[in-house]
Amino acid sequence: MTGRQSAAADRNRFTAETERFRRELLAHCYRMVGSAHDAEDLVQETYLRAWRSYEGFEGRASIRSWLYRIATNVCLTAGRPRPIRVLPSGLAGPHDGPPSQVAPGEVAWLEPFPNTWTTDDPAATAVARESLRLALIASLQHLPPRQRAILILREVLAFSAPETAKILGTTTAAVKSGLQRARARLEELEPQPGELLEPTDERARALLDGYITAFERSDPNLLEKVLRTDATLEATPFHSWYAGKQNCLDMLADHVLGTPGDWRMIATEANGQPAAAVYHRTDGTLQAHGIVVLAPTTTGVTRVTEFHDPALVVLFGFPDLLTG
């Protein structure tokens, strides 16, 4: 076998052994950094480092564990220091006036994660949905990076304490201590998780359809039927957010809904929740506007999170312009 043939065989073997983990590594990197765009770059760097060191991989750990070790350390070290990604509700209390100005450029915003990037394994998908909820991802970003890594590796990915210690190059005792501190901090940060409906639930889809119809018809009365009394609304890149159905309705009716035909939405899923790709009519053209993610319950939508970033629409696999 020539050197070129040997290299090609190594590459094929590397791809066969590692490529099946790409989607779960994307989710892992997203949990670590809160950005789908960054997660793509970090996974690409993970595979580059893995390929460079593949010749020295001796199989003492599973290929999956080896990849997670590389990916976790890429997340912890690449581009350090990495800014904490937040939602508006993580910056200040609720607002009851008109929308604020766009937040200063130094704020790093949390991004949604496409459900299409998660694994096809039904059992793993159920775990992924729970561990990708927006409220949890937002809370995770406030943990120190190594505590965040420990909690994700232990609680989400079910690595043992010794395995986690090996991945992070630390001791089992340090992992156990870090996990205890991470759990305590997360309890302080994370809102009490409500019983969110799965995006495949007919009730969740009905709420999403109602939200989409309300916007496309610019009808606040339809929107009122979708939101819970205690609903909250936030949108990046704005500082302000709103608590209570009436405050949300007043702001949307006065400053956002516009006239029928101004908005168009296409149903999708993000972070294990129902979502929509949003388009806004500008100069007669429906242009990509962002992604909206809903938190549906049996009594209505409890939280609406809008990400005003046209690039996210394309990231989710939709065109930047709608015709027809």
Side-chain angles (χ1 to χ4, degrees), residues 197-262:
L197 299 171
E198 294 293 337
T200 54
D201 190 302
E202 291 182 0
R203 295 167 295 179
R205 184 54 192 260
L207 289 169
L208 176 62
D209 288 345
Y211 186 88
I212 290 174
T213 301
F215 259 79
E216 293 185 343
R217 296 182 182 177
S218 301
D219 189 340
N221 294 322
L222 288 177
L223 199 57
E224 183 177 9
K225 298 177 182 178
V226 172
L227 300 180
R228 278 186 8 173
T229 302
D230 62 350
T232 61
L233 170 69
E234 57 186 332
T236 66
F238 302 96
H239 270 301
S240 56
W241 63 284
Y242 298 84
K245 179 196 287 190
Q246 196 56 55
N247 285 334
C248 296
L249 290 172
D250 290 345
M251 193 283 294
L252 290 172
D254 293 343
H255 303 284
V256 178
L257 287 180
T259 59
D262 283 352

Short mmCIF file of all heavy atoms in Angstrom, two decimals, residues 197-262:
data_model
loop_
_atom_site.label_atom_id
_atom_site.label_comp_id
_atom_site.label_asym_id
_atom_site.label_seq_id
_atom_site.Cartn_x
_atom_site.Cartn_y
_atom_site.Cartn_z
N LEU A 197 -44.84 21.39 27.37
CA LEU A 197 -45.31 20.40 26.41
C LEU A 197 -44.21 20.11 25.40
O LEU A 197 -43.45 21.00 25.01
CB LEU A 197 -46.55 20.92 25.68
CG LEU A 197 -47.77 21.23 26.54
CD1 LEU A 197 -48.83 21.93 25.68
CD2 LEU A 197 -48.35 19.96 27.16
N GLU A 198 -44.12 18.87 24.97
CA GLU A 198 -43.19 18.52 23.91
C GLU A 198 -43.64 19.19 22.61
O GLU A 198 -44.84 19.37 22.37
CB GLU A 198 -43.13 17.01 23.71
CG GLU A 198 -42.55 16.25 24.90
CD GLU A 198 -41.08 16.54 25.10
OE1 GLU A 198 -40.42 16.96 24.14
OE2 GLU A 198 -40.61 16.38 26.24
N PRO A 199 -42.69 19.58 21.76
CA PRO A 199 -43.08 20.26 20.52
C PRO A 199 -43.94 19.42 19.61
O PRO A 199 -44.65 19.94 18.75
CB PRO A 199 -41.73 20.60 19.87
CG PRO A 199 -40.73 19.70 20.52
CD PRO A 199 -41.24 19.46 21.91
N THR A 200 -43.90 18.08 19.79
CA THR A 200 -44.74 17.20 18.97
C THR A 200 -46.16 17.05 19.52
O THR A 200 -47.03 16.48 18.85
CB THR A 200 -44.10 15.80 18.89
OG1 THR A 200 -43.83 15.34 20.23
CG2 THR A 200 -42.79 15.85 18.12
N ASP A 201 -46.41 17.56 20.73
CA ASP A 201 -47.73 17.50 21.34
C ASP A 201 -48.70 18.37 20.54
O ASP A 201 -48.38 19.51 20.18
CB ASP A 201 -47.65 17.98 22.79
CG ASP A 201 -48.92 17.71 23.57
OD1 ASP A 201 -49.98 18.19 23.15
OD2 ASP A 201 -48.84 17.07 24.63
N GLU A 202 -49.90 17.86 20.26
CA GLU A 202 -50.88 18.62 19.48
C GLU A 202 -51.21 19.95 20.12
O GLU A 202 -51.47 20.95 19.43
CB GLU A 202 -52.15 17.79 19.30
CG GLU A 202 -51.98 16.58 18.39
CD GLU A 202 -53.28 15.83 18.19
OE1 GLU A 202 -54.32 16.26 18.76
OE2 GLU A 202 -53.27 14.83 17.46
N ARG A 203 -51.21 20.00 21.46
CA ARG A 203 -51.52 21.25 22.15
C ARG A 203 -50.41 22.28 21.94
O ARG A 203 -50.68 23.48 21.79
CB ARG A 203 -51.74 20.98 23.64
CG ARG A 203 -52.95 20.10 23.95
CD ARG A 203 -52.94 19.61 25.38
NE ARG A 203 -51.80 18.70 25.62
CZ ARG A 203 -51.53 18.13 26.78
NH1 ARG A 203 -52.32 18.37 27.84
NH2 ARG A 203 -50.50 17.32 26.92
N ALA A 204 -49.18 21.82 21.94
CA ALA A 204 -48.06 22.73 21.69
C ALA A 204 -48.12 23.27 20.28
O ALA A 204 -47.90 24.47 20.04
CB ALA A 204 -46.73 22.01 21.94
N ARG A 205 -48.42 22.40 19.33
CA ARG A 205 -48.51 22.84 17.93
C ARG A 205 -49.66 23.82 17.74
O ARG A 205 -49.55 24.79 16.99
CB ARG A 205 -48.67 21.64 17.01
CG ARG A 205 -48.67 22.01 15.52
CD ARG A 205 -47.43 22.82 15.15
NE ARG A 205 -47.55 23.41 13.84
CZ ARG A 205 -46.97 22.90 12.75
NH1 ARG A 205 -46.27 21.79 12.84
NH2 ARG A 205 -47.09 23.50 11.59
N ALA A 206 -50.78 23.60 18.46
CA ALA A 206 -51.91 24.51 18.35
C ALA A 206 -51.54 25.90 18.88
O ALA A 206 -51.94 26.93 18.31
CB ALA A 206 -53.11 23.96 19.12
N LEU A 207 -50.76 25.93 19.97
CA LEU A 207 -50.33 27.22 20.52
C LEU A 207 -49.38 27.93 19.55
O LEU A 207 -49.46 29.15 19.35
CB LEU A 207 -49.64 27.01 21.87
CG LEU A 207 -50.57 26.62 23.03
CD1 LEU A 207 -49.75 26.19 24.24
CD2 LEU A 207 -51.49 27.78 23.40
N LEU A 208 -48.48 27.17 18.94
CA LEU A 208 -47.57 27.76 17.96
C LEU A 208 -48.36 28.28 16.76
O LEU A 208 -48.12 29.40 16.28
CB LEU A 208 -46.54 26.74 17.51
CG LEU A 208 -45.57 27.20 16.41
CD1 LEU A 208 -44.72 28.38 16.87
CD2 LEU A 208 -44.68 26.04 15.96
N ASP A 209 -49.30 27.49 16.27
CA ASP A 209 -50.12 27.93 15.13
C ASP A 209 -50.90 29.20 15.48
O ASP A 209 -51.03 30.11 14.66
CB ASP A 209 -51.10 26.83 14.74
CG ASP A 209 -50.42 25.65 14.06
OD1 ASP A 209 -49.25 25.80 13.65
OD2 ASP A 209 -51.05 24.59 13.95
N GLY A 210 -51.41 29.26 16.72
CA GLY A 210 -52.14 30.45 17.15
C GLY A 210 -51.25 31.68 17.20
O GLY A 210 -51.66 32.78 16.80
N TYR A 211 -50.02 31.49 17.68
CA TYR A 211 -49.07 32.61 17.75
C TYR A 211 -48.74 33.09 16.33
O TYR A 211 -48.72 34.31 16.07
CB TYR A 211 -47.80 32.16 18.47
CG TYR A 211 -46.81 33.27 18.73
CD1 TYR A 211 -46.89 34.05 19.87
CD2 TYR A 211 -45.80 33.53 17.81
CE1 TYR A 211 -45.98 35.07 20.10
CE2 TYR A 211 -44.89 34.55 18.03
CZ TYR A 211 -44.99 35.32 19.18
OH TYR A 211 -44.08 36.33 19.40
N ILE A 212 -48.46 32.15 15.44
CA ILE A 212 -48.13 32.52 14.06
C ILE A 212 -49.30 33.26 13.40
O ILE A 212 -49.11 34.31 12.77
CB ILE A 212 -47.76 31.25 13.26
CG1 ILE A 212 -46.41 30.71 13.74
CG2 ILE A 212 -47.72 31.55 11.76
CD1 ILE A 212 -46.04 29.37 13.11
N THR A 213 -50.50 32.73 13.55
CA THR A 213 -51.68 33.36 12.95
C THR A 213 -51.90 34.76 13.49
O THR A 213 -52.22 35.69 12.74
CB THR A 213 -52.93 32.50 13.20
OG1 THR A 213 -52.73 31.20 12.65
CG2 THR A 213 -54.17 33.14 12.58
N ALA A 214 -51.72 34.94 14.80
CA ALA A 214 -51.90 36.26 15.42
C ALA A 214 -50.95 37.28 14.80
O ALA A 214 -51.35 38.42 14.52
CB ALA A 214 -51.68 36.16 16.93
N PHE A 215 -49.71 36.89 14.58
CA PHE A 215 -48.75 37.82 13.99
C PHE A 215 -49.05 38.08 12.53
O PHE A 215 -49.00 39.23 12.06
CB PHE A 215 -47.32 37.28 14.16
CG PHE A 215 -46.58 37.93 15.30
CD1 PHE A 215 -46.82 37.55 16.60
CD2 PHE A 215 -45.66 38.94 15.07
CE1 PHE A 215 -46.16 38.14 17.66
CE2 PHE A 215 -44.99 39.56 16.11
CZ PHE A 215 -45.24 39.15 17.42
N GLU A 216 -49.35 37.03 11.79
CA GLU A 216 -49.58 37.22 10.36
C GLU A 216 -50.84 38.03 10.09
O GLU A 216 -50.93 38.72 9.06
CB GLU A 216 -49.64 35.85 9.67
CG GLU A 216 -48.29 35.15 9.70
CD GLU A 216 -48.26 33.84 8.92
OE1 GLU A 216 -49.36 33.31 8.63
OE2 GLU A 216 -47.16 33.36 8.61
N ARG A 217 -51.80 37.98 11.02
CA ARG A 217 -53.02 38.79 10.89
C ARG A 217 -52.94 40.09 11.68
O ARG A 217 -53.88 40.88 11.65
CB ARG A 217 -54.23 37.98 11.37
CG ARG A 217 -54.54 36.75 10.54
CD ARG A 217 -55.78 36.05 11.06
NE ARG A 217 -56.08 34.83 10.32
CZ ARG A 217 -57.09 34.01 10.61
NH1 ARG A 217 -57.90 34.29 11.62
NH2 ARG A 217 -57.28 32.92 9.90
N SER A 218 -51.83 40.27 12.41
CA SER A 218 -51.67 41.45 13.28
C SER A 218 -52.86 41.60 14.22
O SER A 218 -53.45 42.68 14.35
CB SER A 218 -51.48 42.72 12.43
OG SER A 218 -50.36 42.61 11.60
N ASP A 219 -53.20 40.52 14.88
CA ASP A 219 -54.41 40.47 15.70
C ASP A 219 -54.07 40.20 17.16
O ASP A 219 -53.82 39.06 17.56
CB ASP A 219 -55.34 39.36 15.17
CG ASP A 219 -56.72 39.38 15.82
OD1 ASP A 219 -56.84 39.96 16.92
OD2 ASP A 219 -57.65 38.81 15.24
N PRO A 220 -54.06 41.23 18.01
CA PRO A 220 -53.74 41.03 19.43
C PRO A 220 -54.77 40.18 20.17
O PRO A 220 -54.45 39.56 21.18
CB PRO A 220 -53.68 42.45 19.99
CG PRO A 220 -54.47 43.28 19.04
CD PRO A 220 -54.30 42.64 17.70
N ASN A 221 -56.02 40.16 19.68
CA ASN A 221 -57.04 39.33 20.32
C ASN A 221 -56.73 37.84 20.19
O ASN A 221 -56.94 37.06 21.12
CB ASN A 221 -58.42 39.63 19.72
CG ASN A 221 -58.89 41.03 20.04
OD1 ASN A 221 -58.66 41.54 21.14
ND2 ASN A 221 -59.53 41.68 19.08
N LEU A 222 -56.21 37.44 19.03
CA LEU A 222 -55.77 36.06 18.87
C LEU A 222 -54.57 35.76 19.76
O LEU A 222 -54.46 34.68 20.34
CB LEU A 222 -55.41 35.79 17.40
CG LEU A 222 -56.57 35.70 16.41
CD1 LEU A 222 -56.04 35.51 15.00
CD2 LEU A 222 -57.51 34.55 16.77
N LEU A 223 -53.68 36.74 19.86
CA LEU A 223 -52.49 36.55 20.69
C LEU A 223 -52.87 36.39 22.16
O LEU A 223 -52.25 35.61 22.89
CB LEU A 223 -51.56 37.75 20.51
CG LEU A 223 -50.10 37.58 20.90
CD1 LEU A 223 -49.47 36.43 20.13
CD2 LEU A 223 -49.34 38.88 20.63
N GLU A 224 -53.89 37.10 22.58
CA GLU A 224 -54.35 37.01 23.97
C GLU A 224 -54.77 35.60 24.32
O GLU A 224 -54.60 35.15 25.45
CB GLU A 224 -55.51 37.99 24.20
CG GLU A 224 -55.99 38.03 25.63
CD GLU A 224 -57.08 39.05 25.84
OE1 GLU A 224 -57.57 39.62 24.84
OE2 GLU A 224 -57.45 39.28 27.00
N LYS A 225 -55.32 34.86 23.35
CA LYS A 225 -55.78 33.50 23.61
C LYS A 225 -54.63 32.51 23.75
O LYS A 225 -54.82 31.41 24.28
CB LYS A 225 -56.70 33.05 22.48
CG LYS A 225 -57.97 33.88 22.34
CD LYS A 225 -58.79 33.42 21.15
CE LYS A 225 -60.04 34.29 20.99
NZ LYS A 225 -60.83 33.88 19.80
N VAL A 226 -53.45 32.90 23.29
CA VAL A 226 -52.29 32.01 23.31
C VAL A 226 -51.49 32.14 24.60
O VAL A 226 -51.00 31.15 25.14
CB VAL A 226 -51.39 32.30 22.09
CG1 VAL A 226 -50.08 31.53 22.17
CG2 VAL A 226 -52.12 31.96 20.79
N LEU A 227 -51.37 33.37 25.09
CA LEU A 227 -50.48 33.64 26.22
C LEU A 227 -51.14 33.33 27.56
O LEU A 227 -52.33 33.56 27.76
CB LEU A 227 -50.05 35.11 26.21
CG LEU A 227 -49.28 35.59 24.97
CD1 LEU A 227 -48.95 37.07 25.12
CD2 LEU A 227 -48.02 34.77 24.76
N ARG A 228 -50.34 32.85 28.50
CA ARG A 228 -50.80 32.68 29.87
C ARG A 228 -50.82 34.02 30.58
O ARG A 228 -50.16 34.98 30.16
CB ARG A 228 -49.85 31.74 30.65
CG ARG A 228 -50.13 30.31 30.41
CD ARG A 228 -49.36 29.33 31.23
NE ARG A 228 -48.53 29.80 32.33
CZ ARG A 228 -47.94 28.96 33.18
NH1 ARG A 228 -48.12 27.66 33.07
NH2 ARG A 228 -47.18 29.42 34.15
N THR A 229 -51.55 34.10 31.68
CA THR A 229 -51.63 35.35 32.44
C THR A 229 -50.26 35.81 32.92
O THR A 229 -49.96 36.99 32.95
CB THR A 229 -52.58 35.17 33.65
OG1 THR A 229 -53.86 34.76 33.17
CG2 THR A 229 -52.72 36.48 34.43
N ASP A 230 -49.40 34.85 33.26
CA ASP A 230 -48.08 35.19 33.78
C ASP A 230 -47.01 35.14 32.70
O ASP A 230 -45.81 35.01 33.00
CB ASP A 230 -47.69 34.24 34.92
CG ASP A 230 -47.61 32.79 34.47
OD1 ASP A 230 -48.02 32.50 33.33
OD2 ASP A 230 -47.12 31.94 35.25
N ALA A 231 -47.40 35.25 31.44
CA ALA A 231 -46.45 35.12 30.33
C ALA A 231 -45.38 36.21 30.38
O ALA A 231 -45.62 37.33 30.85
CB ALA A 231 -47.19 35.19 28.99
N THR A 232 -44.20 35.87 29.88
CA THR A 232 -43.12 36.84 29.75
C THR A 232 -42.67 36.88 28.29
O THR A 232 -42.83 35.92 27.54
CB THR A 232 -41.92 36.49 30.64
OG1 THR A 232 -41.38 35.22 30.26
CG2 THR A 232 -42.31 36.47 32.10
N LEU A 233 -42.10 38.02 27.91
CA LEU A 233 -41.66 38.25 26.54
C LEU A 233 -40.31 38.93 26.58
O LEU A 233 -40.13 39.94 27.27
CB LEU A 233 -42.67 39.13 25.80
CG LEU A 233 -42.27 39.68 24.43
CD1 LEU A 233 -42.19 38.55 23.41
CD2 LEU A 233 -43.26 40.74 23.97
N GLU A 234 -39.35 38.37 25.84
CA GLU A 234 -38.05 39.03 25.72
C GLU A 234 -37.52 38.85 24.32
O GLU A 234 -37.89 37.90 23.61
CB GLU A 234 -37.05 38.50 26.75
CG GLU A 234 -36.79 37.02 26.71
CD GLU A 234 -35.91 36.57 27.87
OE1 GLU A 234 -35.10 37.38 28.37
OE2 GLU A 234 -36.03 35.40 28.29
N ALA A 235 -36.67 39.77 23.91
CA ALA A 235 -36.15 39.73 22.55
C ALA A 235 -34.74 40.30 22.52
O ALA A 235 -34.49 41.39 23.05
CB ALA A 235 -37.05 40.53 21.60
N THR A 236 -33.83 39.55 21.93
CA THR A 236 -32.49 40.09 21.68
C THR A 236 -32.54 40.84 20.36
O THR A 236 -33.32 40.49 19.46
CB THR A 236 -31.47 38.95 21.58
OG1 THR A 236 -31.75 38.16 20.41
CG2 THR A 236 -31.50 38.06 22.81
N PRO A 237 -31.78 41.92 20.20
CA PRO A 237 -30.74 42.43 21.08
C PRO A 237 -31.20 43.61 21.95
O PRO A 237 -30.49 44.62 22.05
CB PRO A 237 -29.68 42.89 20.08
CG PRO A 237 -30.51 43.44 18.93
CD PRO A 237 -31.75 42.58 18.88
N PHE A 238 -32.36 43.51 22.57
CA PHE A 238 -32.90 44.58 23.39
C PHE A 238 -32.73 44.26 24.87
O PHE A 238 -32.89 43.11 25.28
CB PHE A 238 -34.38 44.81 23.06
CG PHE A 238 -34.64 45.14 21.63
CD1 PHE A 238 -35.01 44.15 20.73
CD2 PHE A 238 -34.48 46.44 21.16
CE1 PHE A 238 -35.24 44.44 19.39
CE2 PHE A 238 -34.70 46.74 19.83
CZ PHE A 238 -35.08 45.75 18.93
N HIS A 239 -32.46 45.30 25.66
CA HIS A 239 -32.30 45.10 27.10
C HIS A 239 -33.62 44.77 27.78
O HIS A 239 -33.66 43.97 28.72
CB HIS A 239 -31.75 46.39 27.74
CG HIS A 239 -30.26 46.44 27.79
ND1 HIS A 239 -29.52 45.49 28.44
CD2 HIS A 239 -29.38 47.34 27.29
CE1 HIS A 239 -28.23 45.80 28.34
NE2 HIS A 239 -28.12 46.91 27.64
N SER A 240 -34.71 45.39 27.34
CA SER A 240 -35.96 45.29 28.08
C SER A 240 -36.67 43.97 27.83
O SER A 240 -36.55 43.37 26.76
CB SER A 240 -36.89 46.46 27.70
OG SER A 240 -37.10 46.49 26.31
N TRP A 241 -37.42 43.53 28.85
CA TRP A 241 -38.28 42.37 28.70
C TRP A 241 -39.54 42.63 29.51
O TRP A 241 -39.59 43.55 30.33
CB TRP A 241 -37.58 41.08 29.13
CG TRP A 241 -37.17 41.00 30.56
CD1 TRP A 241 -36.11 41.63 31.15
CD2 TRP A 241 -37.81 40.25 31.60
NE1 TRP A 241 -36.04 41.31 32.48
CE2 TRP A 241 -37.06 40.47 32.79
CE3 TRP A 241 -38.92 39.42 31.64
CZ2 TRP A 241 -37.42 39.89 34.00
CZ3 TRP A 241 -39.27 38.83 32.85
CH2 TRP A 241 -38.52 39.07 34.02
N TYR A 242 -40.60 41.85 29.27
CA TYR A 242 -41.92 42.17 29.80
C TYR A 242 -42.50 40.97 30.54
O TYR A 242 -42.37 39.82 30.11
CB TYR A 242 -42.85 42.59 28.65
CG TYR A 242 -42.35 43.82 27.95
CD1 TYR A 242 -41.39 43.71 26.94
CD2 TYR A 242 -42.79 45.08 28.32
CE1 TYR A 242 -40.89 44.84 26.31
CE2 TYR A 242 -42.29 46.22 27.70
CZ TYR A 242 -41.35 46.09 26.71
OH TYR A 242 -40.85 47.21 26.11
N ALA A 243 -43.15 41.25 31.66
CA ALA A 243 -43.77 40.22 32.48
C ALA A 243 -45.26 40.50 32.61
O ALA A 243 -45.67 41.65 32.85
CB ALA A 243 -43.12 40.19 33.87
N GLY A 244 -46.08 39.46 32.44
CA GLY A 244 -47.53 39.61 32.52
C GLY A 244 -48.14 39.74 31.14
O GLY A 244 -47.64 40.47 30.29
N LYS A 245 -49.23 39.02 30.93
CA LYS A 245 -49.86 38.99 29.61
C LYS A 245 -50.19 40.39 29.10
O LYS A 245 -49.91 40.72 27.94
CB LYS A 245 -51.13 38.14 29.65
CG LYS A 245 -51.86 38.08 28.31
CD LYS A 245 -53.29 37.58 28.42
CE LYS A 245 -53.34 36.10 28.70
NZ LYS A 245 -54.74 35.57 28.58
N GLN A 246 -50.79 41.22 29.94
CA GLN A 246 -51.23 42.52 29.45
C GLN A 246 -50.06 43.40 29.03
O GLN A 246 -50.13 44.08 28.01
CB GLN A 246 -52.07 43.24 30.52
CG GLN A 246 -52.88 44.41 29.96
CD GLN A 246 -53.80 43.99 28.82
OE1 GLN A 246 -54.61 43.07 28.96
NE2 GLN A 246 -53.67 44.66 27.68
N ASN A 247 -48.98 43.39 29.79
CA ASN A 247 -47.79 44.15 29.40
C ASN A 247 -47.25 43.66 28.06
O ASN A 247 -46.84 44.46 27.21
CB ASN A 247 -46.71 44.05 30.47
CG ASN A 247 -47.01 44.90 31.69
OD1 ASN A 247 -47.71 45.90 31.59
ND2 ASN A 247 -46.49 44.50 32.84
N CYS A 248 -47.23 42.35 27.89
CA CYS A 248 -46.75 41.78 26.62
C CYS A 248 -47.64 42.21 25.46
O CYS A 248 -47.15 42.62 24.40
CB CYS A 248 -46.70 40.26 26.71
SG CYS A 248 -45.55 39.59 27.93
N LEU A 249 -48.95 42.11 25.66
CA LEU A 249 -49.89 42.47 24.60
C LEU A 249 -49.81 43.95 24.24
O LEU A 249 -49.83 44.32 23.06
CB LEU A 249 -51.31 42.11 25.02
CG LEU A 249 -51.65 40.62 25.11
CD1 LEU A 249 -53.03 40.43 25.73
CD2 LEU A 249 -51.60 39.98 23.72
N ASP A 250 -49.71 44.81 25.27
CA ASP A 250 -49.64 46.24 25.02
C ASP A 250 -48.40 46.59 24.20
O ASP A 250 -48.47 47.37 23.24
CB ASP A 250 -49.61 47.01 26.34
CG ASP A 250 -50.94 46.96 27.08
OD1 ASP A 250 -51.95 46.59 26.44
OD2 ASP A 250 -50.97 47.28 28.28
N MET A 251 -47.25 46.01 24.57
CA MET A 251 -46.02 46.31 23.84
C MET A 251 -46.10 45.82 22.41
O MET A 251 -45.76 46.55 21.46
CB MET A 251 -44.84 45.67 24.56
CG MET A 251 -43.46 46.17 24.08
SD MET A 251 -42.90 45.49 22.51
CE MET A 251 -42.69 43.77 22.98
N LEU A 252 -46.58 44.59 22.21
CA LEU A 252 -46.65 44.03 20.86
C LEU A 252 -47.64 44.80 19.99
O LEU A 252 -47.37 45.09 18.82
CB LEU A 252 -47.03 42.55 20.93
CG LEU A 252 -45.97 41.62 21.51
CD1 LEU A 252 -46.54 40.22 21.71
CD2 LEU A 252 -44.74 41.56 20.61
N ALA A 253 -48.81 45.13 20.54
CA ALA A 253 -49.83 45.84 19.77
C ALA A 253 -49.37 47.23 19.38
O ALA A 253 -49.62 47.70 18.26
CB ALA A 253 -51.13 45.90 20.57
N ASP A 254 -48.67 47.90 20.29
CA ASP A 254 -48.27 49.30 20.05
C ASP A 254 -47.01 49.42 19.19
O ASP A 254 -46.84 50.42 18.48
CB ASP A 254 -48.03 50.01 21.39
CG ASP A 254 -49.31 50.18 22.20
OD1 ASP A 254 -50.39 50.05 21.60
OD2 ASP A 254 -49.21 50.42 23.42
N HIS A 255 -46.11 48.43 19.27
CA HIS A 255 -44.79 48.63 18.67
C HIS A 255 -44.33 47.54 17.70
O HIS A 255 -43.32 47.73 17.03
CB HIS A 255 -43.73 48.73 19.79
CG HIS A 255 -44.00 49.82 20.77
ND1 HIS A 255 -43.77 51.16 20.51
CD2 HIS A 255 -44.49 49.77 22.04
CE1 HIS A 255 -44.09 51.88 21.56
NE2 HIS A 255 -44.53 51.07 22.50
N VAL A 256 -45.07 46.43 17.60
CA VAL A 256 -44.53 45.31 16.82
C VAL A 256 -45.49 44.79 15.75
O VAL A 256 -45.11 44.62 14.60
CB VAL A 256 -44.12 44.14 17.76
CG1 VAL A 256 -43.60 42.96 16.94
CG2 VAL A 256 -43.07 44.59 18.77
N LEU A 257 -46.74 44.52 16.10
CA LEU A 257 -47.63 43.78 15.21
C LEU A 257 -47.85 44.44 13.85
O LEU A 257 -47.92 43.76 12.83
CB LEU A 257 -48.99 43.56 15.90
CG LEU A 257 -49.02 42.52 17.02
CD1 LEU A 257 -50.41 42.42 17.60
CD2 LEU A 257 -48.55 41.16 16.52
N GLY A 258 -47.97 45.75 13.83
CA GLY A 258 -48.14 46.44 12.56
C GLY A 258 -49.47 46.11 11.90
O GLY A 258 -50.51 46.03 12.55
N THR A 259 -49.44 45.88 10.57
CA THR A 259 -50.65 45.60 9.81
C THR A 259 -50.57 44.20 9.21
O THR A 259 -49.48 43.64 9.05
CB THR A 259 -50.82 46.62 8.68
OG1 THR A 259 -49.67 46.57 7.81
CG2 THR A 259 -50.95 48.03 9.23
N PRO A 260 -51.74 43.60 8.87
CA PRO A 260 -51.73 42.25 8.29
C PRO A 260 -50.81 42.16 7.07
O PRO A 260 -50.81 43.04 6.21
CB PRO A 260 -53.19 42.03 7.90
CG PRO A 260 -53.96 42.88 8.87
CD PRO A 260 -53.11 44.10 9.07
N GLY A 261 -50.01 41.11 7.05
CA GLY A 261 -49.06 40.91 5.95
C GLY A 261 -47.66 41.38 6.26
O GLY A 261 -46.73 41.11 5.48
N ASP A 262 -47.48 42.11 7.37
CA ASP A 262 -46.14 42.58 7.72
C ASP A 262 -45.23 41.42 8.14
O ASP A 262 -44.01 41.50 8.00
CB ASP A 262 -46.19 43.59 8.87
CG ASP A 262 -46.64 44.97 8.41
OD1 ASP A 262 -46.74 45.17 7.18
OD2 ASP A 262 -46.88 45.84 9.27
#
